[in-house]
Amino acid sequence: MTSQTTLAKPGQEPGEPDRPDSSGGLQAGLKNRHLSMIAIGGVIGAGLFVGSSAGIAAAGPAILLSYAMVGLMVVLVMRMLGEMAAARPSSGSFSAYADQGLGRWAGFSIGWLYWFFWVVVLAVEATAGAKILESWIPGVPQWAWALIVMVVLTATNLVSVGSYGEFEFWFAGIKVVAIGAFVVIGFLAVFGFLPGADNAGSGLAHLTDSGGFFPEGPGAILTGVLMVVFSFMGSEIVTLAAGESSDPQRAVSKATNSVIWRIAVFYLGSIFVVLTLLPWNDPSIVEKGSYVAALDVIGIPHAGQVMDFIVLTAVLSCLNSGLYTASRMAFSLGERGDAPKAFAKVNQRGVPQAAILSSVVFGFVAVFFNYQWPDTVFQFLLNSSGAVALFVWLVICFTQLRMRGIILRETPGKLVVRMWLFPYLTWATIAMISFVLVYMLTDDAAREQVVLSLLVAALVVGISLFRELRGRKAVAK
């Protein structure tokens, strides 16, 4: 909560009604164990399981450096976000902070772009989950499975925030246990302590025995960065969820401090295991997927089915969190007057029903587009939301530069999480993210994502500036 002040917030006109940045009528229904698992599971997206094989094929063992570079960016961004979220817990998280630190146009723009990103993700994940379920029970068509999955998780989110937290606790728990077991068993196999493994005792030889550590050249590290950066999206969800917990400051501090080991173990650890169990150019990595190929080497029976189950839980977790995140962002936008007022209303269970239903309706429409026009309309939605993750991280950086001074001036006692080496590391992170965006423009596969995302962002910023100008004229009259 912010302290009361007679001064207008940055981005707010004098005399304009205060735009709340608290969680409003939302209930504190998330327990500490829910938040802990949301924080841990938030960095493990389905993209880690599904997309890592393409990154390995493109960069070889050097993909480890790609993951390390993006992981470092995420750690620094989460530290900045943690600083603001611990001081001012809010269901709108970085959107609310951008509103206060950079101006209403920034909060409006990044909030709607983030909402757009997650409702498109809903369609992607619903389709991915439906494909797995249809392969298990082919009698039910894929579209029906997508519908069932969306309806069940919508109902879960509508019941209470506690039911969302409970579902996410178990979904994320399965992901965490699976990755943890994979890393431990994989290391045992690599160093010859696991009987029955095909590649027992190979050690670190596979990191260099197929063309060296940089088989595709050092430049492939940057190509790898473009391929893995979006699998990290979701780390920030815990800062939105913290607003519905009994002790948000503690939850945010804990999540922020643990993000380093989470990325080190789940991303770097698991990819390291794959690369040491198999040569990077082994055809099975692309044909079966990196984790299935590694499980086969270890000697895990029915590796494909095991991984399908784990990927399904990751997909359901992402769907569950995506719906929660989109609805809470819509709620926050409604609370600040940047979305229909109905979005800011909660029912008797403290759930923003209108915000949830509107988010899922767009998700259903996107699922329909995916089946009806997968290569045109849906591909446009996918590409136009592709670079939003990087935009969000940039906005968090610029917002933190402004919010540090505001927090020190208004509530210095709440600055319990501090960005390291401020402001130098903040500016360094801005430079890193900007470099990735510029480099994407030089890459044939990524260029369309950046250009379309920039066009959509320009449209949303234009709408926000038009609304702001219209509001000022109305006040002047």
Side-chain angles (χ1 to χ4, degrees):
M1 298 284 290
T2 56
S3 63
Q4 296 297 317
T5 175
T6 56
L7 296 175
K9 294 177 182 177
Q12 182 176 352
E13 293 298 310
E16 180 183 342
D18 188 39
R19 298 189 298 280
D21 60 359
S22 70
S23 55
L26 298 175
Q27 299 297 309
L30 292 176
K31 301 174 183 176
N32 285 333
R33 66 183 178 89
H34 293 154
L35 284 168
S36 295
M37 199 55 74
I38 290 168
I40 296 171
V43 296
I44 311 172
L48 173 62
F49 300 107
V50 178
S52 55
S53 55
I56 292 171
I63 195 69
L64 281 169
L65 297 181
S66 304
Y67 274 103
M69 284 176 64
V70 180
L72 175 61
M73 279 198 300
V74 172
V75 167
L76 294 174
V77 169
M78 279 297 293
R79 187 73 185 183
M80 291 179 242
L81 184 54
E83 175 180 296
M84 297 181 287
R88 299 186 173 191
S90 169
S91 61
S93 187
F94 51 84
S95 172
Y97 310 140
D99 188 303
Q100 298 165 40
L102 301 177
R104 189 166 189 174
W105 68 271
F108 175 96
S109 302
I110 206 64
W112 277 114
L113 285 172
Y114 192 68
W115 178 87
F116 174 58
F117 172 86
W118 279 110
V119 291
V120 173
V121 166
L122 290 181
V124 175
E125 301 296 344
T127 304
K131 285 180 180 176
I132 295 173
L133 290 165
E134 186 189 30
S135 70
W136 293 349
I137 310 175
V140 180
Q142 194 181 121
W143 66 265
W145 279 122
L147 181 65
I148 291 167
V149 166
M150 290 278 276
V151 167
V152 169
L153 292 180
T154 300
T156 301
N157 275 264
L158 284 172
V159 169
S160 69
V161 68
S163 64
Y164 154 73
E166 201 62 35
F167 264 70
E168 189 56 22
F169 176 80
W170 292 106
F171 287 153
I174 292 170
K175 289 191 297 185
V176 169
V177 169
I179 285 284
F182 176 81
V183 171
V184 171
I185 294 171
F187 269 100
L188 291 175
V190 166
F191 295 107
F193 298 112
L194 188 71
D198 294 343
N199 217 6
S202 61
L204 307 182
H206 288 321
L207 292 177
T208 55
D209 64 5
S210 298
F213 191 75
F214 300 98
E216 301 294 335
I221 297 172
L222 292 175
T223 303
V225 165
L226 304 187
M227 301 181 81
V228 307
V229 66
F230 302 108
S231 65
F232 282 82
M233 194 66 169
S235 306
E236 69 290 331
I237 291 174
V238 69
T239 63
L240 282 83
E244 293 178 79
S245 69
S246 56
D247 190 357
Q249 192 176 77
R250 178 177 175 273
V252 168
S253 300
K254 187 176 178 182
T256 303
N257 291 331
S258 65
V259 71
I260 297 175
W261 72 259
R262 287 185 275 132
I263 288 173
V265 171
F266 298 130
Y267 278 86
L268 295 178
S270 62
I271 298 298
F272 180 82
V273 164
V274 172
L275 290 167
T276 47
L277 283 173
L278 291 154
W280 70 272
N281 54 359
D282 190 305
S284 64
I285 290 179
V286 174
E287 292 168 5
K288 298 179 180 178
S290 55
Y291 288 86
V292 174
L295 288 173
D296 278 340
V297 168
I298 292 171
I300 302 295
H302 309 293
Q305 291 90 328
V306 170
M307 190 50 60
D308 273 350
F309 174 73
I310 295 169
V311 170
L312 180 63
T313 61
V315 163
L316 294 176
S317 170
C318 193
L319 254 175
N320 195 37
S321 288
L323 182 52
Y324 171 83
T325 305
S327 65
R328 280 355 181 235
M329 187 57 73
F331 169 84
S332 178
L333 287 165
E335 201 180 28
R336 287 177 274 143
D338 291 334
K341 290 181 180 179
F343 286 7
K345 293 180 180 178
V346 297
N347 61 19
Q348 292 179 336
R349 296 183 299 277
V351 171
Q353 189 168 299
I356 291 173
L357 291 175
S358 63
S359 299
V360 85
V361 163
F362 194 98
F364 275 126
V365 171
V367 169
F368 172 75
F369 287 156
N370 196 5
Y371 287 112
Q372 192 67 30
W373 301 290
D375 299 321
T376 52
V377 179
F378 187 72
Q379 193 62 39
F380 171 80
L381 290 178
L382 212 55
N383 285 331
S384 60
S385 65
V388 167
L390 293 168
F391 297 165
V392 167
W393 294 347
L394 263 184
V395 167
I396 289 171
C397 294
F398 282 112
T399 301
Q400 191 259 341
L401 286 172
R402 294 289 303 276
M403 285 298 292
R404 169 67 74 91
I406 294 171
I407 294 168
L408 282 174
R409 186 169 65 248
E410 297 183 357
T411 52
K414 292 189 176 182
L415 197 64
V416 294
V417 175
R418 288 175 178 262
M419 176 59 183
W420 307 296
L421 297 176
F422 177 82
Y424 307 109
L425 269 184
T426 301
W427 281 111
T429 309
I430 290 171
M432 288 168 65
I433 298 169
S434 300
F435 176 78
V436 171
L437 279 169
V438 171
Y439 186 75
M440 286 177 75
L441 290 171
T442 68
D443 183 86
D444 292 337
R447 187 182 302 114
E448 188 177 5
Q449 285 190 8
V450 178
V451 171
L452 287 178
S453 296
L454 282 170
L455 287 174
V456 171
L459 176 64
V460 176
V461 170
I463 293 170
S464 67
L465 292 174
F466 174 75
R467 290 176 76 253
E468 204 169 317
L469 181 63
R470 191 176 63 177
R472 287 177 181 174
K473 286 182 177 178
V475 171
K477 290 180 181 179

mmCIF file of all heavy atoms in Angstrom, residues 277-304:
data_model
loop_
_atom_site.group_PDB
_atom_site.id
_atom_site.type_symbol
_atom_site.label_atom_id
_atom_site.label_comp_id
_atom_site.label_asym_id
_atom_site.label_seq_id
_atom_site.Cartn_x
_atom_site.Cartn_y
_atom_site.Cartn_z
ATOM 1 N N LEU A 277 25.035 -35.991 -21.606
ATOM 2 C CA LEU A 277 24.599 -37.360 -21.859
ATOM 3 C C LEU A 277 24.657 -37.727 -23.336
ATOM 4 O O LEU A 277 24.847 -38.884 -23.691
ATOM 5 C CB LEU A 277 23.166 -37.561 -21.355
ATOM 6 C CG LEU A 277 22.975 -37.741 -19.843
ATOM 7 C CD1 LEU A 277 21.492 -37.755 -19.501
ATOM 8 C CD2 LEU A 277 23.645 -39.023 -19.367
ATOM 9 N N LEU A 278 24.482 -36.720 -24.213
ATOM 10 C CA LEU A 278 24.410 -36.952 -25.653
ATOM 11 C C LEU A 278 25.278 -35.946 -26.405
ATOM 12 O O LEU A 278 25.401 -34.800 -25.968
ATOM 13 C CB LEU A 278 22.972 -36.784 -26.147
ATOM 14 C CG LEU A 278 21.923 -37.810 -25.725
ATOM 15 C CD1 LEU A 278 20.549 -37.158 -25.744
ATOM 16 C CD2 LEU A 278 21.932 -38.980 -26.683
ATOM 17 N N PRO A 279 25.852 -36.340 -27.545
ATOM 18 C CA PRO A 279 26.477 -35.330 -28.410
ATOM 19 C C PRO A 279 25.398 -34.348 -28.866
ATOM 20 O O PRO A 279 24.260 -34.745 -29.126
ATOM 21 C CB PRO A 279 27.003 -36.157 -29.597
ATOM 22 C CG PRO A 279 27.061 -37.562 -29.107
ATOM 23 C CD PRO A 279 25.983 -37.705 -28.090
ATOM 24 N N TRP A 280 25.732 -33.080 -28.971
ATOM 25 C CA TRP A 280 24.729 -32.058 -29.277
ATOM 26 C C TRP A 280 24.049 -32.290 -30.631
ATOM 27 O O TRP A 280 22.892 -31.896 -30.828
ATOM 28 C CB TRP A 280 25.360 -30.662 -29.265
ATOM 29 C CG TRP A 280 26.288 -30.417 -30.423
ATOM 30 C CD1 TRP A 280 27.616 -30.704 -30.493
ATOM 31 C CD2 TRP A 280 25.948 -29.851 -31.696
ATOM 32 N NE1 TRP A 280 28.132 -30.351 -31.717
ATOM 33 C CE2 TRP A 280 27.132 -29.826 -32.478
ATOM 34 C CE3 TRP A 280 24.775 -29.354 -32.256
ATOM 35 C CZ2 TRP A 280 27.164 -29.325 -33.776
ATOM 36 C CZ3 TRP A 280 24.807 -28.856 -33.557
ATOM 37 C CH2 TRP A 280 25.975 -28.842 -34.293
ATOM 38 N N ASN A 281 24.765 -32.963 -31.555
ATOM 39 C CA ASN A 281 24.208 -33.183 -32.894
ATOM 40 C C ASN A 281 23.588 -34.568 -33.059
ATOM 41 O O ASN A 281 23.354 -35.020 -34.180
ATOM 42 C CB ASN A 281 25.286 -32.964 -33.959
ATOM 43 C CG ASN A 281 26.533 -33.807 -33.710
ATOM 44 O OD1 ASN A 281 26.602 -34.537 -32.724
ATOM 45 N ND2 ASN A 281 27.510 -33.698 -34.597
ATOM 46 N N ASP A 282 23.327 -35.255 -31.968
ATOM 47 C CA ASP A 282 22.632 -36.541 -32.024
ATOM 48 C C ASP A 282 21.229 -36.316 -32.595
ATOM 49 O O ASP A 282 20.477 -35.483 -32.087
ATOM 50 C CB ASP A 282 22.537 -37.141 -30.616
ATOM 51 C CG ASP A 282 22.045 -38.583 -30.626
ATOM 52 O OD1 ASP A 282 20.959 -38.828 -31.197
ATOM 53 O OD2 ASP A 282 22.724 -39.446 -30.053
ATOM 54 N N PRO A 283 20.858 -37.040 -33.667
ATOM 55 C CA PRO A 283 19.553 -36.815 -34.314
ATOM 56 C C PRO A 283 18.359 -36.980 -33.374
ATOM 57 O O PRO A 283 17.322 -36.349 -33.570
ATOM 58 C CB PRO A 283 19.520 -37.875 -35.423
ATOM 59 C CG PRO A 283 20.949 -38.229 -35.677
ATOM 60 C CD PRO A 283 21.645 -38.078 -34.367
ATOM 61 N N SER A 284 18.504 -37.807 -32.342
ATOM 62 C CA SER A 284 17.369 -38.068 -31.444
ATOM 63 C C SER A 284 16.954 -36.829 -30.663
ATOM 64 O O SER A 284 15.804 -36.719 -30.216
ATOM 65 C CB SER A 284 17.712 -39.200 -30.471
ATOM 66 O OG SER A 284 18.773 -38.831 -29.612
ATOM 67 N N ILE A 285 17.869 -35.860 -30.487
ATOM 68 C CA ILE A 285 17.533 -34.642 -29.732
ATOM 69 C C ILE A 285 16.435 -33.860 -30.440
ATOM 70 O O ILE A 285 15.499 -33.354 -29.815
ATOM 71 C CB ILE A 285 18.787 -33.764 -29.517
ATOM 72 C CG1 ILE A 285 19.743 -34.453 -28.535
ATOM 73 C CG2 ILE A 285 18.409 -32.383 -28.989
ATOM 74 C CD1 ILE A 285 21.034 -33.689 -28.275
ATOM 75 N N VAL A 286 16.535 -33.773 -31.772
ATOM 76 C CA VAL A 286 15.518 -33.068 -32.541
ATOM 77 C C VAL A 286 14.304 -33.965 -32.799
ATOM 78 O O VAL A 286 13.156 -33.529 -32.688
ATOM 79 C CB VAL A 286 16.098 -32.565 -33.879
ATOM 80 C CG1 VAL A 286 15.008 -31.967 -34.757
ATOM 81 C CG2 VAL A 286 17.189 -31.524 -33.613
ATOM 82 N N GLU A 287 14.557 -35.232 -33.105
ATOM 83 C CA GLU A 287 13.470 -36.145 -33.451
ATOM 84 C C GLU A 287 12.539 -36.419 -32.268
ATOM 85 O O GLU A 287 11.315 -36.414 -32.405
ATOM 86 C CB GLU A 287 14.047 -37.468 -33.968
ATOM 87 C CG GLU A 287 14.744 -37.341 -35.320
ATOM 88 C CD GLU A 287 15.553 -38.575 -35.668
ATOM 89 O OE1 GLU A 287 15.492 -39.563 -34.886
ATOM 90 O OE2 GLU A 287 16.241 -38.561 -36.705
ATOM 91 N N LYS A 288 13.118 -36.680 -31.100
ATOM 92 C CA LYS A 288 12.311 -37.053 -29.927
ATOM 93 C C LYS A 288 12.105 -35.891 -28.958
ATOM 94 O O LYS A 288 11.185 -35.912 -28.150
ATOM 95 C CB LYS A 288 12.991 -38.201 -29.170
ATOM 96 C CG LYS A 288 13.149 -39.485 -29.952
ATOM 97 C CD LYS A 288 13.849 -40.530 -29.085
ATOM 98 C CE LYS A 288 14.047 -41.847 -29.824
ATOM 99 N NZ LYS A 288 14.764 -42.840 -28.977
ATOM 100 N N GLY A 289 12.980 -34.894 -29.040
ATOM 101 C CA GLY A 289 12.996 -33.841 -28.025
ATOM 102 C C GLY A 289 14.163 -34.085 -27.091
ATOM 103 O O GLY A 289 14.521 -35.248 -26.809
ATOM 104 N N SER A 290 14.794 -33.031 -26.615
ATOM 105 C CA SER A 290 16.032 -33.152 -25.840
ATOM 106 C C SER A 290 15.857 -33.982 -24.573
ATOM 107 O O SER A 290 16.695 -34.833 -24.247
ATOM 108 C CB SER A 290 16.568 -31.762 -25.489
ATOM 109 O OG SER A 290 15.583 -30.990 -24.825
ATOM 110 N N TYR A 291 14.763 -33.787 -23.858
ATOM 111 C CA TYR A 291 14.591 -34.481 -22.585
ATOM 112 C C TYR A 291 14.236 -35.951 -22.789
ATOM 113 O O TYR A 291 14.704 -36.816 -22.043
ATOM 114 C CB TYR A 291 13.529 -33.775 -21.737
ATOM 115 C CG TYR A 291 14.014 -32.455 -21.194
ATOM 116 C CD1 TYR A 291 13.907 -31.289 -21.946
ATOM 117 C CD2 TYR A 291 14.625 -32.370 -19.955
ATOM 118 C CE1 TYR A 291 14.382 -30.075 -21.475
ATOM 119 C CE2 TYR A 291 15.101 -31.170 -19.462
ATOM 120 C CZ TYR A 291 14.977 -30.022 -20.227
ATOM 121 O OH TYR A 291 15.463 -28.831 -19.752
ATOM 122 N N VAL A 292 13.407 -36.238 -23.782
ATOM 123 C CA VAL A 292 13.074 -37.640 -24.077
ATOM 124 C C VAL A 292 14.329 -38.392 -24.512
ATOM 125 O O VAL A 292 14.569 -39.532 -24.075
ATOM 126 C CB VAL A 292 11.986 -37.729 -25.173
ATOM 127 C CG1 VAL A 292 11.766 -39.189 -25.580
ATOM 128 C CG2 VAL A 292 10.681 -37.125 -24.688
ATOM 129 N N ALA A 293 15.148 -37.770 -25.353
ATOM 130 C CA ALA A 293 16.393 -38.398 -25.813
ATOM 131 C C ALA A 293 17.310 -38.701 -24.623
ATOM 132 O O ALA A 293 17.911 -39.777 -24.536
ATOM 133 C CB ALA A 293 17.105 -37.487 -26.809
ATOM 134 N N ALA A 294 17.392 -37.752 -23.694
ATOM 135 C CA ALA A 294 18.230 -37.954 -22.504
ATOM 136 C C ALA A 294 17.676 -39.057 -21.611
ATOM 137 O O ALA A 294 18.427 -39.879 -21.074
ATOM 138 C CB ALA A 294 18.348 -36.645 -21.726
ATOM 139 N N LEU A 295 16.348 -39.101 -21.455
ATOM 140 C CA LEU A 295 15.728 -40.149 -20.638
ATOM 141 C C LEU A 295 15.960 -41.527 -21.251
ATOM 142 O O LEU A 295 16.146 -42.515 -20.524
ATOM 143 C CB LEU A 295 14.222 -39.886 -20.494
ATOM 144 C CG LEU A 295 13.821 -38.709 -19.599
ATOM 145 C CD1 LEU A 295 12.319 -38.463 -19.688
ATOM 146 C CD2 LEU A 295 14.225 -38.947 -18.149
ATOM 147 N N ASP A 296 15.950 -41.596 -22.575
ATOM 148 C CA ASP A 296 16.233 -42.865 -23.254
ATOM 149 C C ASP A 296 17.652 -43.337 -22.938
ATOM 150 O O ASP A 296 17.889 -44.523 -22.692
ATOM 151 C CB ASP A 296 16.070 -42.710 -24.769
ATOM 152 C CG ASP A 296 14.612 -42.810 -25.208
ATOM 153 O OD1 ASP A 296 13.795 -43.355 -24.441
ATOM 154 O OD2 ASP A 296 14.287 -42.326 -26.316
ATOM 155 N N VAL A 297 18.599 -42.401 -22.964
ATOM 156 C CA VAL A 297 19.991 -42.738 -22.677
ATOM 157 C C VAL A 297 20.141 -43.219 -21.241
ATOM 158 O O VAL A 297 20.875 -44.173 -20.960
ATOM 159 C CB VAL A 297 20.907 -41.514 -22.941
ATOM 160 C CG1 VAL A 297 22.294 -41.750 -22.368
ATOM 161 C CG2 VAL A 297 21.009 -41.245 -24.423
ATOM 162 N N ILE A 298 19.449 -42.547 -20.344
ATOM 163 C CA ILE A 298 19.528 -42.928 -18.929
ATOM 164 C C ILE A 298 18.943 -44.324 -18.719
ATOM 165 O O ILE A 298 19.350 -45.057 -17.818
ATOM 166 C CB ILE A 298 18.780 -41.894 -18.048
ATOM 167 C CG1 ILE A 298 19.535 -40.552 -18.067
ATOM 168 C CG2 ILE A 298 18.653 -42.375 -16.608
ATOM 169 C CD1 ILE A 298 18.780 -39.411 -17.406
ATOM 170 N N GLY A 299 17.998 -44.701 -19.585
ATOM 171 C CA GLY A 299 17.383 -46.016 -19.455
ATOM 172 C C GLY A 299 16.027 -45.989 -18.781
ATOM 173 O O GLY A 299 15.561 -47.002 -18.261
ATOM 174 N N ILE A 300 15.380 -44.815 -18.774
ATOM 175 C CA ILE A 300 14.040 -44.698 -18.191
ATOM 176 C C ILE A 300 13.040 -45.320 -19.162
ATOM 177 O O ILE A 300 12.948 -44.899 -20.319
ATOM 178 C CB ILE A 300 13.671 -43.215 -17.947
ATOM 179 C CG1 ILE A 300 14.693 -42.548 -17.038
ATOM 180 C CG2 ILE A 300 12.264 -43.105 -17.355
ATOM 181 C CD1 ILE A 300 14.756 -43.091 -15.634
ATOM 182 N N PRO A 301 12.278 -46.349 -18.740
ATOM 183 C CA PRO A 301 11.311 -46.965 -19.657
ATOM 184 C C PRO A 301 10.168 -46.012 -19.996
ATOM 185 O O PRO A 301 9.781 -45.179 -19.172
ATOM 186 C CB PRO A 301 10.804 -48.184 -18.862
ATOM 187 C CG PRO A 301 11.073 -47.853 -17.424
ATOM 188 C CD PRO A 301 12.297 -46.993 -17.421
ATOM 189 N N HIS A 302 9.639 -46.148 -21.222
ATOM 190 C CA HIS A 302 8.520 -45.329 -21.690
ATOM 191 C C HIS A 302 8.819 -43.830 -21.539
ATOM 192 O O HIS A 302 7.991 -43.053 -21.065
ATOM 193 C CB HIS A 302 7.228 -45.673 -20.937
ATOM 194 C CG HIS A 302 6.911 -47.135 -20.920
ATOM 195 N ND1 HIS A 302 6.572 -47.828 -22.061
ATOM 196 C CD2 HIS A 302 6.913 -48.049 -19.902
ATOM 197 C CE1 HIS A 302 6.354 -49.097 -21.750
ATOM 198 N NE2 HIS A 302 6.563 -49.272 -20.455
ATOM 199 N N ALA A 303 10.023 -43.430 -21.943
ATOM 200 C CA ALA A 303 10.465 -42.041 -21.761
ATOM 201 C C ALA A 303 9.521 -41.052 -22.432
ATOM 202 O O ALA A 303 9.237 -39.982 -21.886
ATOM 203 C CB ALA A 303 11.876 -41.869 -22.307
ATOM 204 N N GLY A 304 9.039 -41.401 -23.631
ATOM 205 C CA GLY A 304 8.145 -40.491 -24.355
ATOM 206 C C GLY A 304 6.869 -40.217 -23.594
ATOM 207 O O GLY A 304 6.432 -39.069 -23.468
#
